[in-house]
Amino acid sequence: MTIENISVNKSFDGWHKQYSHQSETLNCTMRFAIFLPPEASNGKKVPVLYWLSGLTCTDENFMQKAGAQRIAAELGIAIVAPDTSPRGEGVADDEGYDLGQGAGFYVNATQAPWNRHYRMYDYVVNELPQLIESMFPVSDQRAISGHSMGGHGALVIAMRNPERYQSVSAFSPISNPTNCPWGKKALAAYLGKDTAKWAEYDACLLMRQATEFVPARVDQGEADDFMTEQLKPEMLNAAAEASGYPLELYRHDGYDHSYYFIASFIEQHLRFHAAQLNK
């Protein structure tokens, strides 16, 4: 597979790099960022954390705003951040910020015109890790994390593929998308009217029914304007209690939905993942 290097920046004796490649899964050119800790420069294979961003974001939001590189360098963890959707001329879009480009929701779309490109679930689970593991000094020890729409994606992907991930975490995830405005709009557009198909991408429903577990951590800011209507952390907690899922849910007074919140607790998330990846 051919990839094109876009940028390189040294950071905490590791390297942040951006690449583009032609995605067969998404039928368009995609961009991703990767941070490689210092050990990777010596050819040592390191575990990797996949980060999924939220609505309107690209690969750049997390890498530039979260302040994750210092701790990732210390722990010897690579971080991979894909874009949040297919993009480009000919890729279906919508006037709203919460559908179309920048809002792939990490599902495999089945409805036209979205099904030609919008297969972010398959891209994150299969194509991207295959590329990363073949082109960079990383192992098949994987963790996954994300924010908001990306938190939804991380939880769903980990629970549907427990054999592939050692741990999962999320900041302010859309926990119950079948039951909130963002989720209903996206799932109806991408998957159609059959709500049984929606359930395959609902973290609360998956967690309530789970019999195989991936250690999970979720952090939620209590001053998040989206918490009550869109995120519903209480539903996720109830689902974990119903199935005995190993979920650590932390709620923080005064914190909102922004990257100020993520930067405040990203170290705890990285250390949570490192503990599982190093087992």
Side-chain angles (χ1 to χ4, degrees):
M1 184 178 292
T2 301
I3 63 175
E4 179 182 354
N5 183 228
I6 299 170
S7 67
V8 179
N9 302 94
K10 194 169 187 178
S11 180
F12 297 99
D13 290 327
W15 293 95
H16 168 270
K17 302 180 180 183
Q18 276 184 314
Y19 291 89
S20 65
H21 74 105
Q22 184 64 30
S23 168
E24 293 183 3
T25 302
L26 304 178
N27 193 28
C28 68
T29 300
M30 287 295 287
R31 190 176 74 187
F32 67 88
I34 183 169
F35 173 74
L36 293 166
E39 295 96 317
S41 296
N42 300 321
K44 178 183 176 181
K45 287 193 174 185
V46 297
V48 58
L49 171 70
Y50 290 88
W51 172 269
L52 307 183
S53 288
L55 291 166
T56 76
C57 292
T58 69
D59 62 290
E60 294 183 335
N61 295 74
F62 178 81
M63 291 300 197
Q64 294 180 3
K65 297 179 179 180
Q69 290 88 344
R70 178 179 64 85
I71 302 301
E74 174 194 325
L75 297 173
I77 297 174
I79 302 174
V80 172
D83 203 346
T84 53
S85 78
R87 296 184 194 265
E89 187 176 349
V91 175
D93 201 4
D94 186 84
E95 292 182 357
Y97 73 94
D98 51 357
L99 186 67
Q101 295 188 35
F105 263 83
Y106 306 101
V107 305
N108 286 339
T110 59
Q111 304 299 299
W114 312 104
N115 56 348
R116 184 164 181 261
H117 297 283
Y118 286 75
R119 299 185 61 83
M120 286 297 294
Y121 177 90
D122 279 352
Y123 178 73
V124 172
V125 173
N126 296 311
E127 185 179 17
L128 183 61
Q130 289 172 8
L131 184 157
I132 296 299
E133 290 166 21
S134 67
M135 302 294 290
F136 298 97
V138 303
S139 71
D140 61 0
Q141 293 292 105
R142 311 177 194 97
I144 192 165
S145 185
H147 172 231
S148 194
M149 177 186 73
H152 139 78
L155 291 168
V156 166
I157 285 170
M159 285 188 284
R160 288 180 56 176
N161 302 274
E163 75 287 351
R164 292 183 62 84
Y165 300 96
Q166 273 62 56
S167 53
V168 59
S169 73
F171 290 87
S172 314
I174 303 173
S175 299
N176 193 194
T178 62
N179 190 33
C180 76
W182 279 341
K184 289 179 179 179
K185 179 178 178 178
L187 296 177
Y190 295 141
L191 304 176
K193 296 179 180 180
D194 184 359
T195 56
K197 297 295 184 183
W198 299 11
E200 298 175 9
Y201 298 100
D202 188 300
C204 283
L205 299 180
L206 293 170
M207 188 170 283
R208 183 173 289 274
Q209 299 165 1
T211 56
E212 294 183 76
F213 301 147
V214 179
R217 171 176 177 141
V218 169
D219 284 62
Q220 175 65 57
E222 295 285 6
D224 190 323
D225 290 339
F226 303 113
M227 182 174 65
T228 301
E229 184 180 29
Q230 304 282 13
L231 307 179
K232 302 184 184 296
E234 71 284 353
M235 299 296 290
L236 192 68
N237 191 57
E241 290 180 349
S243 64
Y245 206 94
L247 171 68
E248 299 176 19
L249 175 62
Y250 301 93
R251 302 180 69 142
H252 305 277
D253 287 341
Y255 286 93
D256 58 20
H257 200 69
S258 71
Y259 266 83
Y260 294 106
F261 173 44
I262 295 170
S264 298
F265 296 99
I266 191 62
E267 179 174 350
Q268 289 90 326
H269 279 239
L270 288 171
R271 294 193 185 282
F272 166 79
H273 290 294
Q276 302 301 322
L277 291 166
N278 291 330
K279 282 186 177 179

